[in-house]
Amino acid sequence: MLSAGLPGLVLLAACERPPTEPLAARDVSQPAGWADELAMPVPQDLNPDPNVLELELEARIENVEIVPGFKTPAWTYNGTVPGPMIRAKLGDRVIVHFKNSLPEATTIHWHGLRVPNEMDGAPGVTQPPIESGGEFRYEFQLRDAGTYWYHPHTDSSTQVGRGLYGAFIVDDPADPEAFGDDLVMLLSDMGLDEQGQLLPADSGGNFGDLFGREGAVLLVNGKVRPTLKVRNGKQQRWRLINATRARYYNVRLRNHRFMRLGGDNGLAARSADVYNLIITPGERADAVFTPADPPGSTNVLRWVPTERGYGSTFSRPSETMLLLETVADAPVTPEPIPTELRTIEPLDLSSAKHRTLDLTIAIKSKVEMGVNGVPFWNAKPLEIALGDTEIWRIVNNTDFSHPFHLHGYFFQVQDDARVPEWKDTVNVPTKSELTIAVRFDERPGAWMYHCHILDHAEAGMMGHLVVRDPNAPQSLATPAPHHH
Ligand code: C2O
Ligand code: CU
């Protein structure tokens, strides 16, 4: 068994700044060292321009300690799991000098960020795979505040499962201070044996593909059950990122509720008082947590099983993700959280085109997943005219839920019961359907969509679309789908 309270596992490269700096920049009313155990490394900024963040990222295998006393040969960015937290402000330009020192090809996808098409990291679609030993320069401007992340897009179930992911935060300096100090928690899991060795990428065979591979070891910022120090009444803005291959998070804390601010693309239209935070693979949650436990007490942040289809909750216990220690300091009075957060205009759907995407699973000699019955390696791209708005009915008659993700554009879920917000990933529960609206207003090119249970994506539940500028019809060849 893994014990609680692991010694900190912060593997800082010599060039990196101390990890705590960006977390508590605004405020000193949290307990000292409140987030030390949770801090992620921050890359060195190579560019003196305050509006440019320029950094080096290297994907490489590195021994990291996850199970106490053992070394896991994890796949890392810059030697740590997760990789460095990239954090900059709205409008900044980011330049990433990327080097692939893995034994396999890879790419980086900037999940949720509206980057130029050729920076999107989709192998064989927006760029060739970056071979072992190869380099690539990613460069883009940050157009949307919010909580994002980055991960490979080749053999993604394996590469993400071995540790390749990092947080990417775009700050809006205009956000209200009442949200409290900002804490980023990247949630992941790993399939490890008792000696910390990685389970084979295809563990469970067809069942692994079908159910999606959940690693048994839960990590918060790469740590097993770390401790967060809080002060009664002192708010914290939590940004939770689900970077697992397949695990759904349902996060609960005894005696507490959360004020949900939004998720994928920053703030929603209104804040919402919620009992739990559900974050499916690829999604993010942005919420204010107000510690309410008596000074001197300890509480436990729990992962609670969530229905995501056949057998996904049956006799599964909840698990401890994080320990919360309320320090003895006198309580402070929480600040009121605004109700109205942001204006989100509904898309004009008057001339929208309609499509149905049916998420499908066929059991052959191997599990073959697809969209409208076609796995990605046989799929023709959806053809879309630049400037069009489309309404997609996403149908799921399979026995499993699927978190549907679209690259390049945010969408609006058509559901009056939800607080309006812009999303890039949304859960489509088993035996249900939902409708999204997207405006393909700019950045013509080829963009992916797929289930973010990465085992499902690799089993075929993935496709791409081509947004064509009708005034430049020759400018874009139809790319060939990539099949490794
Ligand atoms: Cu985070 Cu194509 O995915
Ligand atoms: Cu799926």
Side-chain angles (χ1 to χ4, degrees), residues 7-244:
L9 156 77
V10 183
L11 303 171
L12 279 179
C15 61
E16 282 162 349
R17 278 188 270 147
T20 46
E21 191 182 314
L23 292 174
R26 272 183 181 158
D27 201 299
V28 291
S29 55
Q30 298 284 6
W34 63 283
D36 280 359
E37 258 191 75
L38 286 160
M40 289 185 275
V42 175
Q44 190 195 8
D45 185 357
L46 304 170
N47 197 306
D49 184 333
N51 301 318
V52 180
L53 174 60
E54 183 167 357
L55 59 117
E56 286 174 346
L57 265 191
E58 182 189 24
R60 63 171 191 260
I61 296 175
E62 184 88 30
N63 286 322
V64 298
E65 186 174 325
I66 293 167
V67 177
F70 295 97
K71 296 287 184 194
T72 299
W75 289 33
T76 73
Y77 292 115
N78 290 5
T80 61
V81 176
M85 175 168 70
I86 302 177
R87 183 159 207 165
K89 62 184 186 306
L90 195 57
D92 281 357
R93 178 158 289 279
V94 174
I95 301 166
V96 176
H97 302 278
F98 176 64
K99 180 166 170 40
N100 178 15
S101 302
L102 298 169
E104 284 176 14
T106 193
T107 58
I108 304 182
H109 171 56
W110 312 95
H111 183 122
L113 291 168
R114 290 193 300 160
V115 299
N117 186 249
E118 64 278 14
M119 294 293 136
D120 195 47
V125 174
T126 65
Q127 70 172 101
I130 305 160
E131 299 298 335
S132 179
E135 297 186 4
F136 194 85
R137 180 185 206 267
Y138 289 99
E139 178 171 354
F140 45 85
Q141 193 163 12
L142 302 176
R143 304 172 51 189
D144 303 285
T147 305
Y148 306 97
W149 63 298
Y150 60 97
H151 64 79
H153 224 283
T154 55
D155 201 4
S156 59
S157 174
T158 304
Q159 295 194 358
V160 169
R162 288 175 176 168
L164 285 169
Y165 36 74
F168 197 131
I169 308 299
V170 184
D171 286 310
D172 184 347
D175 280 352
E177 302 240 349
F179 295 163
D181 284 356
D182 206 300
L183 179 63
V184 182
M185 288 195 262
L186 186 145
L187 312 176
S188 63
D189 64 12
M190 268 196 178
L192 299 174
D193 68 14
E194 301 276 299
Q195 273 85 46
Q197 298 312 293
L198 292 157
L199 298 181
D202 61 351
S203 63
N206 267 335
F207 282 110
D209 291 341
L210 193 60
F211 285 82
R213 294 176 176 85
E214 295 185 19
V217 180
L218 290 188
L219 302 174
V220 179
N221 295 355
K223 314 277 168 46
V224 179
R225 291 193 281 278
T227 299
L228 174 67
K229 287 186 193 146
V230 302
R231 180 176 186 179
N232 181 301
K234 179 59 195 157
Q235 283 138 322
Q236 295 177 358
R237 180 182 189 173
W238 283 3
R239 299 167 179 269
L240 306 178
I241 302 167
N242 185 341
T244 63

Side-chain angles (χ1 to χ4, degrees), residues 369 401-403 451-453 456 461:
M369 304 205 178
S401 302
H402 303 288
C451 174
H452 222 289
I453 291 180
H456 291 180
M461 200 176 280

